[in-house]
Amino acid sequence: MPGCVAAAAALLGALAGCAGAPENDSVIVRNDSIDDYIKVAELEEIDAIRKRGELHHTVVTENYIILRDRRNTYLAVFRQKCWQLEETRVTPDVRYDKNVVRARFDSYRGCRIGAIFGLSEGQATEILGLGAEPGR
């Protein structure tokens, strides 16, 4: 009897691992696609955003977000995966100036920003569509 329970637990663990694999693969593909897009489109890296009004974000993956203020659109790249983006409890930002967001020094939702790139609205739409499944 204990052997059957152990075998059933191992089988469930294997099935759970297989169920999570395609999602992880799609995230890796999206991250790679965005990395390639940054290089091919030769996006201009900027050191700081002088924000005008509130910043709003759109999550692309746990490594990338699109930031918007009243006038401009930016792609922010986190140094590490940012798990706090989807949480309801907001982690405070680290900022040294209330109207400026700096790459390498400041954070967004508690996650350190590694790089910031300027985007047009068309480029933001393309990035959101990269790696997405057809029909979504």
Side-chain angles (χ1 to χ4, degrees):
M1 187 69 158
C4 292
V5 173
L11 180 61
L12 285 174
L15 290 174
C18 291
E23 181 179 322
N24 291 338
D25 288 345
S26 73
V27 170
I28 292 170
V29 168
R30 287 191 81 185
N31 285 336
D32 290 345
S33 297
I34 295 168
D35 286 339
D36 292 343
Y37 184 85
I38 290 169
K39 292 173 187 163
V40 170
E42 297 178 353
L43 295 181
E44 177 187 356
E45 186 171 355
I46 54 179
D47 290 330
I49 298 171
R50 286 211 171 273
K51 68 180 190 142
R52 292 164 178 81
E54 294 292 317
L55 278 179
H56 302 282
H57 75 276
T58 303
V59 177
V60 181
T61 69
E62 65 271 352
N63 292 348
Y64 299 96
I65 60 171
I66 294 177
L67 291 172
R68 290 183 172 89
D69 63 9
R70 282 188 277 156
R71 295 185 187 169
N72 300 309
T73 305
Y74 306 95
L75 176 68
V77 182
F78 293 116
R79 287 181 148 180
Q80 325 175 344
K81 292 181 181 179
C82 185
W83 304 109
Q84 291 90 344
L85 290 172
E86 300 296 331
E87 292 182 7
T88 55
R89 194 182 104 227
V90 176
T91 305
D93 292 336
V94 173
R95 301 249 174 89
Y96 298 99
D97 185 343
K98 69 177 185 167
N99 293 322
V100 177
V101 178
R102 289 182 174 82
R104 298 178 305 283
F105 302 107
D106 293 347
S107 68
Y108 188 83
R109 294 275 175 114
C111 299
R112 180 89 44 183
I113 299 170
I116 301 171
F117 297 93
L119 294 178
S120 68
E121 279 300 321
Q123 290 171 324
T125 303
E126 280 187 64
I127 287 174
L128 289 171
L130 287 175
E133 295 177 20
R136 281 193 165 188

